[in-house]
Amino acid sequence: MENMLGRARAFAEPLIADETLDTGENTLAHADAVATIVAAMGGSEAMQAASYLVYSCQHLNRPQEVIAKVFGDNFAALAVETTKLVHVQKQARSATAGVHAADGNSAQTENVRKMLLAFSRDLRVVMLRLASRLQTLRYAAATKEPVAENVARESLQVFAPLANRLGIWQVKWEIEDLSFRFLEPETYKLIARLLDEKRVEREGYVEQLRLQLEQELKGEGIQAKVQGRPKNIYSIVKKMRGKSLDFAQVFDILALRVVVADIKDCYAALAWVHSHFQPLDEEFDDYIARPKPNGYQSLHTVVRKSADGKPGKPIEIQIRTEEMHDHAEHGVAAHWAYKEAGHKGYAGVWASGEYDAKIAVLRQLLAWERDLSGGQQGQGLFEDRIYVLTPDAAIVELPQGATAVDFAYTVHTSLGHRCRGARIDGVMVQLNTPLQNGQTVEIIAAKEGGPSRDWLNAELGYLASHRARAKVRAWFNAQVTHETIAKGREAVEKLLQREGKTSTRLEDLASQLGFKSADHLFEVVGKDEFSLRNIEMLVRPPEPAPGPDEGVQLKKPRASDKASKGGVLVVGVSSLMTQLAKCCRPVPPDAIGGFVTRGHGVSVHRRDCSNFRTMSGHNPERVIDVEWGRPKAEEGALYAVDVAVEAADRQGLLRDISDVFAREKMNVIGVQTQSVKGTAWMTFTVEISDAARLTQVLKIVSSVNGVRSSRRR
């Protein structure tokens, strides 16, 4: 996009021009400074533009959508990802404030993990975060404002090692010095003063050496740029403390850098230096033949220049090519692998393409994480985690000891189920091979299928992740449930065929029986927790008995015919229709009363029925006396009653209660269940011949494990 930087600043200005960061710095001024630092680090104009978009995010209702519309999805993702990371780091620092060191380390661990995963999604986030942190420290130094200790410590312990791993030396040194300035102000001031006292003398001597070296190398046909190398205060302190040196010994070391055209000239310049000065053999390092893990290359030597027969001051000399120098100053930013510039490679590896370069940078991030692990007094910061790469070069976080199967389930549950093989760094391996930090893992998957039961065998070592193991178990449980439902469906459909009710809608049938869905019904039938007799009674009601609930007309009894074929006798009326009230469902020998309805004969209620008492109070003239007849034993009438059960919900509860009714030969013709927060409420509609018998059965139901109460409604 043309003039991207100007457009991004114009977009952000009205949003952030009057805003202030937590440090007190104006947000727009901070974004301006970050863009300048990114440019100095070698970032493109597009990267500089991103600096403004990041700080705009929190002032937009839908930042991803708005930024994508104006600048595209790429910038929107970068801005939102960076903003998320800023919030994570802020929360982590809040968590460490005022807590013990051990707790602080745990919060820092989480902070670094989040940083690592954010960087893996978009490597440009690294540059933006480093530039922003450097500006925060610069602002505090310029305004002489104190920096919170946890910010300074995080800068020194997390951000500076990150810049070091990525080879961005200029940023590393400045973050180190500024952080140290706020953490140990007295020591910093002392060394700065001592450096300043010797500065004029030292700079004069260095300039004399610089000119001599440049001219004499030119005379040897070696075109070289020789420059003095500034002292990094924090590195001086580390050297003093690490080697137990005093100030004078450290300050007296002079430093020069020689930049030449090619590697051949590097070694030619080294030969000339060693022939004209006295080299200290133990101080020589060849980082060209053996680059540092982060890709740094240079020849390092320490020599002395003798004068009047006395050994002179030690002189540190670094010799490198222009390209090595570019890398040493700007590191990963000098060839921002997969987004910004060609295929210059990284970490001593020549990158054949965008993917290889990105992998090289990601491995440096993993190395940064390992650096931090080693720095916690032997307690690995990430000893319980590893980080591996997908074929698309995204980082995946896994528990220590994880395998390719764990990796597959972390990427996607479906990929885990279908996993059949794996390649690690391009080599086929067994699925239970433990993965190592930084490896690239590729899964070979079937088009469909499920996991192996062997994966759940801990001794075989296929799974280290609890989440992956849970997903495998869930798959097998789902298969068992599927088979149970199929078995239950088959049983129900056979019953409906037998009864000639194949047109019955299964969902309606389940609803009538009190189940949420047909599958719920099939599942309990398949588990033998619900009797098919209940379904049979619903689709095939019992033959109507000559009883009052069937609306039988009863004549006034004669003395010789006091008992009719069961049901209710209506006293003093020659012929009336009767029906048992559904509100209280009376059963012999309940005390009963009749109420003459309009158009439906006599409704028979229990005497203690609240509805009957209310109606009697309003219309006493319509109440008539009724009593139970005495049916013959072989023609005993059955009456439907509702039984309410409250119990602690558990698996098999419905089956156990249904078994009681079945053993006691009580037919269940309807069930409704509801479970809320571990308590089950059940209503069973059962057929009985007398209430006394029901009382006995309810005592047995009350003794079922988990049942709190059982009563007739």
Side-chain angles (χ1 to χ4, degrees), residues 219-297:
E220 295 292 317
I222 301 170
Q223 293 296 324
K225 283 188 290 186
V226 182
Q227 52 197 207
R229 191 153 51 85
K231 281 287 185 181
N232 172 212
I233 290 179
Y234 183 66
S235 68
I236 291 172
V237 173
K238 281 207 300 184
K239 188 171 287 188
M240 283 168 45
R241 291 174 177 173
K243 296 188 176 182
S244 301
L245 302 174
D246 62 30
F247 291 145
Q249 288 172 294
V250 177
F251 294 153
D252 281 348
I253 296 177
L254 305 171
L256 290 172
R257 181 178 296 126
V258 179
V259 181
V260 296
D262 53 34
I263 292 176
K264 175 175 63 68
D265 284 349
C266 288
Y267 288 101
L270 177 70
W272 187 92
V273 167
H274 279 186
S275 66
H276 289 76
F277 296 89
Q278 179 190 344
L280 305 181
D281 293 339
E282 69 276 10
E283 297 291 343
F284 173 70
D285 290 294
D286 185 347
Y287 294 119
I288 294 179
R290 295 182 303 280
K292 285 188 177 183
N294 58 16
Y296 174 85
Q297 289 182 294

Side-chain angles (χ1 to χ4, degrees), residues 656-668:
D656 292 348
I657 296 173
S658 297
D659 283 351
V660 171
F661 289 122
R663 283 199 309 271
E664 298 301 320
K665 298 193 172 42
M666 278 194 175
N667 192 34
V668 178

Side-chain angles (χ1 to χ4, degrees), residues 202-376:
R202 186 178 61 252
E203 286 180 357
Y205 186 55
V206 167
E207 179 61 16
Q208 180 188 337
L209 271 175
R210 189 191 73 75
L211 286 170
Q212 179 192 353
L213 196 53
E214 200 169 80
Q215 288 166 2
E216 296 199 22
L217 284 173
K218 188 175 181 181
E220 295 292 317
I222 301 170
Q223 293 296 324
K225 283 188 290 186
V226 182
Q227 52 197 207
R229 191 153 51 85
K231 281 287 185 181
N232 172 212
I233 290 179
Y234 183 66
S235 68
I236 291 172
V237 173
K238 281 207 300 184
K239 188 171 287 188
M240 283 168 45
R241 291 174 177 173
K243 296 188 176 182
S244 301
L245 302 174
D246 62 30
F247 291 145
Q249 288 172 294
V250 177
F251 294 153
D252 281 348
I253 296 177
L254 305 171
L256 290 172
R257 181 178 296 126
V258 179
V259 181
V260 296
D262 53 34
I263 292 176
K264 175 175 63 68
D265 284 349
C266 288
Y267 288 101
L270 177 70
W272 187 92
V273 167
H274 279 186
S275 66
H276 289 76
F277 296 89
Q278 179 190 344
L280 305 181
D281 293 339
E282 69 276 10
E283 297 291 343
F284 173 70
D285 290 294
D286 185 347
Y287 294 119
I288 294 179
R290 295 182 303 280
K292 285 188 177 183
N294 58 16
Y296 174 85
Q297 289 182 294
S298 221
L299 295 175
H300 285 198
T301 188
V302 177
V303 297
R304 291 180 186 275
K305 184 180 181 183
S306 300
D308 302 326
K310 296 179 182 177
K313 296 177 180 178
I315 308 163
E316 283 184 354
I317 299 178
Q318 296 175 349
I319 306 170
R320 59 176 67 146
T321 67
E322 189 68 55
E323 188 175 354
M324 292 172 192
H325 181 61
D326 192 26
H327 179 99
E329 290 300 300
H330 302 120
V332 65
H335 39 85
W336 192 243
Y338 80 118
K339 289 286 183 190
E340 299 297 332
H343 306 138
K344 294 182 182 178
Y346 192 63
V349 178
W350 191 263
S352 60
E354 176 183 302
Y355 172 76
D356 290 343
K358 184 178 182 185
I359 286 288
V361 177
L362 287 172
R363 287 196 167 135
Q364 289 308 308
L365 290 174
L366 292 172
W368 161 64
E369 170 265 313
R370 286 197 300 275
D371 290 344
L372 292 174
S373 303
Q376 299 298 310

Side-chain angles (χ1 to χ4, degrees), residues 16-230:
I16 64 175
D18 298 323
E19 297 296 321
T20 305
L21 299 175
D22 293 343
T23 58
E25 184 180 11
N26 176 269
T27 307
L28 181 59
H30 183 85
D32 284 336
V34 168
T36 303
I37 293 169
V38 167
M41 288 163 67
S44 67
E45 184 180 313
M47 276 294 301
Q48 297 165 51
S51 309
Y52 295 100
L53 301 181
V54 167
Y55 296 99
S56 303
C57 274
Q58 66 190 69
H59 303 290
L60 297 168
N61 288 330
R62 295 188 299 278
Q64 185 111 23
E65 185 181 319
V66 174
I67 295 174
K69 192 170 182 179
V70 182
F71 297 97
D73 292 335
N74 192 7
F75 276 98
L78 172 59
V80 170
E81 192 66 50
T82 308
T83 304
K84 281 183 193 168
L85 182 56
V86 171
H87 289 313
V88 166
Q89 291 173 313
K90 193 179 291 185
Q91 288 166 358
R93 286 196 301 275
S94 299
T96 61
V99 298
H100 295 297
D103 298 328
N105 285 346
S106 134
Q108 177 167 298
T109 299
E110 194 55 34
N111 180 12
V112 173
R113 280 181 183 164
K114 292 287 195 328
M115 287 172 73
L116 188 62
L117 296 172
F119 293 162
S120 80
R121 287 189 283 271
D122 194 329
L123 298 179
R124 298 170 298 171
V125 175
V126 189
M127 285 180 76
L128 291 173
R129 290 305 298 129
L130 281 172
S132 177
R133 178 52 57 91
L134 176 55
Q135 173 53 24
T136 296
L137 296 171
R138 280 182 179 178
Y139 173 78
T143 57
K144 294 185 170 50
E145 290 291 330
V147 166
E149 184 184 347
N150 53 10
V151 172
R153 201 162 296 286
E154 181 188 55
S155 302
L156 188 62
Q157 295 178 350
V158 177
F159 281 89
L162 172 60
N164 177 54
R165 264 293 165 187
L166 297 176
I168 312 176
W169 308 112
Q170 207 58 47
V171 172
K172 167 195 178 278
W173 291 333
E174 197 172 350
I175 286 180
E176 282 180 342
D177 274 7
L178 289 170
S179 303
F180 183 67
R181 174 176 178 170
F182 294 113
L183 288 170
E184 297 187 45
E186 294 307 317
T187 309
Y188 179 90
K189 284 174 190 170
L190 173 64
I191 295 176
R193 191 179 71 248
L194 289 169
L195 274 176
D196 196 51
E197 285 171 2
K198 291 178 172 278
R199 182 172 56 83
V200 176
E201 175 192 339
R202 186 178 61 252
E203 286 180 357
Y205 186 55
V206 167
E207 179 61 16
Q208 180 188 337
L209 271 175
R210 189 191 73 75
L211 286 170
Q212 179 192 353
L213 196 53
E214 200 169 80
Q215 288 166 2
E216 296 199 22
L217 284 173
K218 188 175 181 181
E220 295 292 317
I222 301 170
Q223 293 296 324
K225 283 188 290 186
V226 182
Q227 52 197 207
R229 191 153 51 85

